[in-house]
Amino acid sequence: MIKKISKQLHLWLSVPFGLVVTLICLSGAILIFEKDFGHIGQAEVSSNGRIPLPLDSILKSTETYLDGSNRIVGVTTYPDSEHAYKVMLAKPAMAALWVDQYTGKVIGKYERAEIFKLASAAHRRLFGKSKAEGAFGAKTGKLIIGITSISLLLIILSGLIVWWPSKGQLKNRLTISTDKGSYRFWFDFHSVGGVISTLVLVICIITGLNWSFGWYRTAFYTTLGTEAPKSSSHKTPAENFAAWETAYSLILSENRQNEIRMYQNEADVIIGGWGNQQAATTYKINPDNGMIKEVIPYMDKSESNRIKGWIYSLHIGSWLGWVTKIVYLLCVIIGAILPISGYYLWIKRLTIKRNHRES
């Protein structure tokens, strides 16, 4: 009885939401690697054994490229000597410039590669415009993505119930037949592929819903015994570049192998490693002289702050580096194929039933 109900639920949810599930999975597969490949072709510089210019000199030089209404709000430096500095601007949203740290020259605007921009629009808003593009977000598209994600969770759970093997049948249920025709192959692939990808897809759904619904985000953090953290925009315009240089020099002396994000009054040193890839030690800075007022290690930060980083790392599969990224890639590609194979099986069954009735 339970399997029969689960089978119907699996079908009723899969038919209307299947294509959106495929879109979410394919776009998610692309976004897994944005941090690794998104800057290629934009941010390369040649060090030739040179030492970067002082940070205040770089910021002053960058400022000459701006019109009077825009301001610098931050800068990110990288341990890779061939990677340009990223200078963040107050407007528009997410605006930044790539700056050659050895010459102080702006080498280009930060531009999200089209493939990642398109994938993000599909994955988060069903191709709706973002704030950076002058919109307040496509609420309808975002809502559809959220509803589809919840439906996918029910599809996965109902599919597991239908698949669940009887005693002694586990091996058969985990076998894909290749010599019994296309229908049997796709039936086995649909069943086995769904089981193999279940854990990763469920993790992506549970974490991803934090970006879809405010009520879910509040409930998620409450369940974990804390409050949802307030987002920090870091939009305070930079002042006293000399103080930035003093602070940066002090921080860099202890963190030469880390990505450093400088903002007005504070800096984040990304410690990463296995686990939370957003883990960072924060330095509070005296804006008058650049001296470090306080150091807040990652483990001393609020629980909600640590959870936020884990949510992101678990969602994109970066928590064990390339190992989990490859695993996630394979699972979400399977997730993209499952609705297509499901449609094939469904249509094939309808055709067989119709032929039986006609005969």
Side-chain angles (χ1 to χ4, degrees):
M1 183 64 176
I2 294 177
K3 283 198 173 186
K4 186 176 181 180
I5 295 173
S6 297
K7 188 175 182 180
Q8 290 302 312
L9 179 64
H10 191 80
L11 175 63
W12 292 339
L13 291 175
S14 298
V15 171
F17 292 109
L19 291 179
V20 183
V21 169
T22 294
L23 180 64
I24 292 173
C25 288
L26 288 178
S27 57
I30 294 171
L31 293 172
I32 289 172
F33 299 100
E34 181 171 14
K35 185 172 177 61
D36 302 289
F37 303 116
H39 68 279
I40 291 177
Q42 295 186 44
E44 289 86 355
V45 294
S46 179
S47 63
N48 292 324
R50 293 176 293 176
I51 298 174
L53 296 171
L55 190 63
D56 58 339
S57 176
I58 293 171
L59 296 178
K60 288 176 182 176
S61 176
T62 305
E63 201 172 39
T64 63
Y65 287 83
L66 307 180
D67 60 46
S69 63
N70 212 346
R71 299 287 299 278
I72 294 171
V73 296
V75 59
T76 300
T77 69
Y78 305 87
D80 180 1
S81 62
E82 306 290 310
H83 196 309
Y85 287 5
K86 184 180 180 182
V87 177
M88 284 81 83
L89 307 178
K91 59 183 181 180
M94 296 181 67
L97 299 172
W98 293 115
V99 180
D100 187 331
Q101 61 268 36
Y102 304 105
T103 65
K105 293 182 178 179
V106 172
I107 59 177
K109 291 182 178 180
Y110 164 74
E111 295 283 356
R112 198 172 190 182
E114 284 300 320
I115 186 171
F116 296 118
K117 189 185 296 184
L118 186 65
S120 179
H123 194 74
R124 299 189 67 179
R125 304 178 302 276
L126 205 61
F127 298 111
K129 289 185 176 181
S130 67
K131 286 184 179 181
E133 297 169 314
F136 290 102
K139 291 184 178 180
T140 301
K142 193 174 180 180
L143 179 62
I144 293 173
I145 293 294
I147 292 173
T148 301
S149 298
I150 294 174
S151 299
L152 178 56
L153 185 59
L154 295 175
I155 290 169
I156 291 171
L157 294 178
S158 59
L160 278 176
I161 293 173
V162 174
W163 168 86
W164 200 261
S166 303
K167 187 175 181 180
Q169 294 297 311
L170 180 61
K171 183 178 179 181
N172 290 336
R173 289 300 180 93
L174 291 175
T175 301
I176 298 178
S177 302
T178 58
D179 56 354
K180 298 180 180 179
S182 59
Y183 180 87
R184 181 57 187 270
F185 169 79
W186 285 113
F187 178 85
D188 288 344
F189 177 88
H190 192 82
S191 301
V192 177
V195 172
I196 290 174
S197 60
T198 287
L199 181 59
V200 167
L201 292 179
V202 168
I203 289 174
C204 290
I205 293 167
I206 291 174
T207 53
L209 284 170
N210 279 277
W211 287 282
S212 295
F213 301 111
W215 59 263
Y216 178 90
R217 186 167 180 261
T218 300
F220 186 89
Y221 280 89
T222 301
T223 302
L224 295 176
T226 185
E227 294 182 357
K230 296 180 180 179
S231 59
S232 177
S233 60
H234 287 119
K235 285 295 184 182
T236 304
E239 296 179 358
N240 192 359
F241 290 154
W244 279 52
E245 165 59 21
T246 299
Y248 179 71
S249 297
L250 292 170
I251 295 169
L252 180 64
S253 65
E254 299 177 352
N255 300 280
R256 294 190 180 278
Q257 301 305 313
N258 301 90
E259 178 180 318
I260 301 173
R261 300 172 185 171
M262 295 288 299
Y263 308 102
Q264 181 68 13
N265 304 333
E266 69 177 34
D268 287 330
V269 175
I270 309 303
I271 57 177
W274 282 9
N276 177 7
Q277 296 294 300
Q278 297 295 302
T281 294
T282 297
Y283 291 75
K284 297 295 183 179
I285 301 168
N286 185 327
D288 296 324
N289 55 25
M291 299 305 294
I292 307 301
K293 298 191 297 183
E294 182 184 8
V295 180
I296 307 174
Y298 166 67
M299 292 307 298
D300 290 345
K301 291 187 175 183
S302 66
E303 186 177 7
S304 61
N305 182 284
R306 298 198 299 273
I307 291 172
K308 181 181 178 181
W310 269 103
I311 289 172
Y312 179 77
S313 297
L314 285 170
H315 188 71
I316 67 169
S318 64
W319 51 284
L320 285 182
W322 280 92
V323 174
T324 43
K325 285 185 178 184
I326 296 300
V327 171
Y328 271 52
L329 175 65
L330 295 175
C331 288
V332 296
I333 288 177
I334 291 174
I337 297 173
L338 289 177
I340 308 302
S341 61
Y343 283 131
Y344 167 78
L345 296 171
W346 177 55
I347 293 171
K348 193 75 172 178
R349 286 196 198 102
L350 292 177
T351 303
I352 293 172
K353 287 181 179 179
R354 185 185 65 187
N355 291 339
H356 274 281
R357 285 196 300 268
E358 291 177 352
S359 63

